Amino acid sequence: MKNILVFLMSLILTSCNGQEAKKPLNRTPKMDKDNLQYITFGGGCFWCVESCFNMLKGVDAAVSGYSGGHKANPAYEEVCTGETGHAEVVEIAYDPKIISYEQLMDVFFFLHDPTQLNRQGNDIGTQYRSVIFYKDETEKEKAEAAMKASEASGRWNGKYVTEITKFEKFWPAEQYHQGYYNANPNQPYCSAVVGPKIAKFKKHYGELGMLEPENEQ
């Protein structure tokens, strides 16, 4: 009888743990999905950038993809050559009532080194450039102000080389790139490069990487 009770308890605990693991980390019931705004930027390999932004309150989705190039519907292998002109980017859908453009920019400049031209660490090429895409003059001014503020903060030692350019088109990356780190945490690049960045991000922005927006009580 004792063994049966132990077995039943283990099933209950396993079930509870399984449900807890599946609970989304970044969704809030207050999110207004009818009035989401979008922002697109690149800060090196999109695996890390996408993973971190998908943890933030107010972010409905962060999608890996390509932007800033001259070829329609580019493939990953083509972008990696640097010949299409695209950068690896992440398109973020967010609720500005929960998380602001400025907060997203703060995370963006935290996650990569904006003083490195056409590279991030050992990832070298224009596809890894630091870039913010704007959709109108107001957004351009906000991006310029955010970069100026981050540079003045002394977070990174050196002059920022982040490109601020007009948005034209976002091309979603292949499906296997979406949520890549979560699906492949033990892949060599993920464990050596992406994992430590995510750990640093979580430590800086709080448990589970959740921001506490200024306008949230």
Side-chain angles (χ1 to χ4, degrees):
M1 177 62 71
K2 181 178 180 181
N3 291 337
I4 293 175
L5 290 174
V6 171
F7 175 72
L8 290 175
M9 286 299 295
S10 68
L11 285 179
I12 293 172
L13 290 174
T14 300
S15 176
C16 291
N17 290 335
Q19 290 177 358
E20 185 67 26
K22 293 179 181 179
K23 185 185 297 182
L25 302 179
N26 65 319
R27 306 299 181 254
T28 72
K30 297 180 181 179
M31 190 172 304
D32 183 1
K33 294 196 176 186
D34 292 327
N35 292 289
L36 296 177
Q37 294 187 14
Y38 294 81
I39 183 173
T40 305
F41 43 58
C45 177
F46 46 30
W47 294 343
C48 174
V49 180
E50 178 233 88
S51 181
C52 290
F53 276 95
N54 266 322
M55 297 177 188
L56 296 177
K57 286 181 180 179
V59 171
D60 183 59
V63 180
S64 293
Y66 316 110
S67 196
H70 53 76
K71 186 181 187 302
N73 198 27
Y76 179 67
E77 291 74 14
E78 295 173 313
V79 174
C80 285
T81 67
E83 296 178 359
T84 69
H86 290 92
E88 288 193 12
V89 300
V90 174
E91 181 182 72
I92 296 168
Y94 69 100
D95 184 344
K97 294 180 181 179
I98 299 176
I99 187 168
S100 69
Y101 181 95
E102 289 74 18
Q103 286 174 312
L104 293 172
M105 283 290 99
D106 186 71
V107 176
F108 169 70
F109 285 118
F110 177 85
L111 289 177
H112 80 293
D113 184 347
T115 69
Q116 294 191 344
L117 181 63
N118 296 329
R119 69 179 297 169
Q120 282 298 303
N122 292 324
D123 293 330
I124 301 173
T126 56
Q127 66 270 32
Y128 299 114
R129 65 187 182 273
S130 176
V131 57
I132 302 170
F133 293 93
Y134 65 88
K135 296 181 176 65
D136 53 41
E137 287 303 307
T138 299
E139 201 168 85
K140 179 182 180 182
E141 292 174 1
K142 291 169 69 174
E144 290 173 341
M147 184 170 76
K148 184 177 180 180
S150 182
E151 188 173 23
S153 73
R155 172 177 284 172
W156 298 96
N157 185 24
K159 181 176 177 57
Y160 282 23
V161 295
T162 302
E163 175 185 325
I164 298 177
T165 190
K166 180 72 174 178
F167 175 83
E168 293 185 2
K169 180 72 176 179
F170 170 77
W171 302 96
E174 295 81 350
Q175 187 58 40
Y176 72 89
H177 285 299
Q178 311 304 332
Y180 188 87
Y181 175 78
N182 289 339
N184 305 276
N186 297 319
Q187 190 257 22
Y189 182 89
C190 286
S191 59
V193 179
V194 182
K197 280 190 175 183
I198 292 176
K200 183 179 179 181
F201 160 78
K202 288 182 177 180
K203 182 178 180 180
H204 185 81
Y205 287 102
E207 185 179 4
L208 300 179
M210 304 288 270
L211 280 179
E212 293 297 336
E214 295 175 358
N215 61 346
E216 183 177 65
Q217 301 300 319

